[in-house]
Amino acid sequence: MPLPSRFANLRLPAVAAPMFLVSGPELVIATCKAGMIGTFPALNQRTSEGYAEWLSEIKSALGPEDAAYGVNLIVHNTNTRLMADIAITVEHKVPLVITSLGAVKDVVDAVHSYGGVVFHDIINARHAQKAMEAGVDGLILVSAGAGGHAGTQHPFALLNEIRSFFKGTVLLSGAMSTGQDVAAALMAGADLAYMGTRFIATNEARADAAYKQMLIDTTARDITYTDAISGINANFLTPSLIQNGLDPAAAKDPKHKIDMAHELNSEAKAWKTIWSAGQGVGSIHEVLPVAGLVARLKGEFAAAADGFMAKRANFSL
Ligand SMILES: Cc1cc2nc3c(=O)[nH]c(=O)nc-3n(C[C@H](O)[C@H](O)[C@H](O)COP(=O)(O)O)c2cc1C
């Protein structure tokens, strides 16, 4: 599937995924200027007015040569700001809207009314079918090992299943940290790679220095998959659970429910204290400025593509 025309000037086929409490205008602007799609969750601003201010800031910083930016809207009845945030999104003609939890035709139609594009994140074929019925332009396949609310399916299994019935743009997400991973996502059938955790370890991410350091110090074995923090399964850095007095084994035990969000009075407080990351942490070794990270990703992507062509030449197909 060709990419929507809005993404014609991408210099790397990848998106820096929206991350609760982590992505703000600095990260979005630096990412778009480096040639990748930059995004943030609207809820990272406390109010709809604040959300509108961030959009103005991003729009005034970006020029026509920069990559498009996007926002993430949580489409769920607990999001009391949704209608106000949609009105602001339409007013600002946000190029890309990433919907999570609910895929709703009215939201898709509102974004299409000004020529915007809607991608929806899914963890299985059932969610993908529903999103397709709502008319989304693209699906973000959140596979096993991803940061945030991750799925449990292997990326190949998810990609092949969804590709068999969905003809729109497909994004692959989960544990991608290098340009070689981006190339592999495309080779496997995705149109764009969708990277979260790797972008927490950048200067522009709004994460504590200790959180960034923990990404460097940990590997895939230090990730705990649990629904104890927010009621939906997500991946968290095990040392951050321990740091907060939580037993990682108990967090995985469905009989031993810890409701951190309840204990801390809000989900925001829980995510501020318990740090989420995907299994890709094992290949994060330093905090970089976004421009440096994306330059490195581009180099790795090109080397992987060349390497593949060299390997292919060994076979008469
Ligand atoms: C700290 C953190 C916060 C996240 N917050 C959100 C969010 O608010 N909305 C959303 O759609 N996805 C969120 N995600 C998921 C990412 O958008 C993306 O799907 C995921 O990070 C990709 O996997 P990776 O981290 O292994 O690269 C979050 C992920 C992380 C690590």
Side-chain angles (χ1 to χ4, degrees):
M1 162 80 192
L3 287 178
S5 56
R6 285 196 166 254
F7 305 137
N9 62 353
L10 281 185
R11 298 197 289 282
L12 188 71
V15 178
M19 290 181 285
F20 189 45
L21 307 179
V22 170
S23 325
E26 316 78 17
L27 187 59
V28 173
I29 293 165
T31 305
C32 296
K33 288 200 171 294
M36 265 176 69
I37 300 172
T39 66
F40 71 96
L43 291 178
N44 274 2
Q45 259 286 10
R46 272 170 213 211
T47 60
S48 293
E49 294 70 33
Y51 168 50
E53 278 164 27
W54 273 10
L55 291 179
S56 301
E57 186 182 337
I58 291 167
K59 283 165 74 178
S60 62
L62 295 180
E65 69 287 357
D66 298 320
Y69 71 96
V71 302
N72 170 227
L73 300 178
I74 306 292
V75 182
H76 192 259
N77 54 17
T78 52
N79 181 7
T80 52
R81 271 175 47 188
L82 181 63
M83 294 317 291
D85 288 356
I86 289 173
I88 291 165
T89 304
V90 172
E91 188 187 326
H92 283 266
K93 299 186 166 50
V94 174
L96 168 64
V97 173
I98 295 162
T99 54
S100 301
L101 299 182
V104 174
K105 189 170 180 307
D106 288 351
V107 176
V108 176
D109 290 347
V111 178
H112 284 170
S113 72
Y114 62 83
V117 169
V118 182
F119 293 162
H120 183 74
D121 52 26
I122 60 103
I123 58 168
N124 57 39
R126 188 173 57 85
H127 291 171
Q129 292 281 5
K130 280 192 171 176
M132 209 170 80
E133 282 159 23
V136 302
D137 306 287
L139 292 173
I140 302 161
L141 280 46
V142 186
S143 58
H149 294 146
T152 54
Q153 292 186 3
H154 189 281
F156 285 0
L158 199 52
L159 261 169
N160 290 337
E161 235 180 272
I162 305 298
R163 268 281 179 234
S164 69
F165 62 83
F166 182 68
K167 303 302 168 211
T169 305
V170 168
L171 297 91
L172 185 64
S173 147
M176 284 182 271
S177 302
T178 69
Q180 181 157 23
D181 300 339
V182 176
L186 265 65
M187 187 60 69
D191 300 300
L192 290 167
Y194 193 77
M195 306 171 88
T197 301
R198 185 59 192 90
F199 280 79
I200 307 174
T202 59
N203 296 350
E204 290 86 348
R206 298 178 161 224
D208 272 18
Y211 186 175
K212 295 179 186 179
Q213 186 59 43
M214 199 178 277
L215 296 174
I216 294 169
D217 296 341
T218 48
T219 61
R221 62 181 294 197
D222 301 306
I223 302 297
T224 297
Y225 186 64
T226 177
D227 66 354
I229 311 303
S230 66
I232 302 176
N233 275 308
N235 278 314
F236 294 95
L237 287 158
T238 309
S240 84
L241 292 170
I242 296 169
Q243 213 163 258
N244 284 278
L246 295 173
D247 173 2
K252 282 192 204 161
D253 178 359
K255 288 191 269 354
H256 185 110
K257 277 267 170 261
I258 312 160
D259 188 351
M260 273 301 291
H262 180 73
E263 275 175 42
L264 292 168
N265 296 326
S266 81
E267 177 143 354
K269 274 194 194 160
W271 282 68
K272 198 164 177 52
T273 329
I274 315 288
W275 298 328
S276 176
Q279 292 176 0
V281 285
S283 30
I284 299 176
H285 307 298
E286 59 195 322
V287 175
L288 291 168
V290 166
L293 172 60
V294 178
R296 178 190 286 181
L297 293 174
K298 285 178 197 161
E300 292 167 342
F301 177 81
D306 293 347
F308 179 80
M309 291 313 287
K311 281 183 190 166
R312 189 201 179 285
N314 293 328
F315 305 98
S316 53
L317 301 172

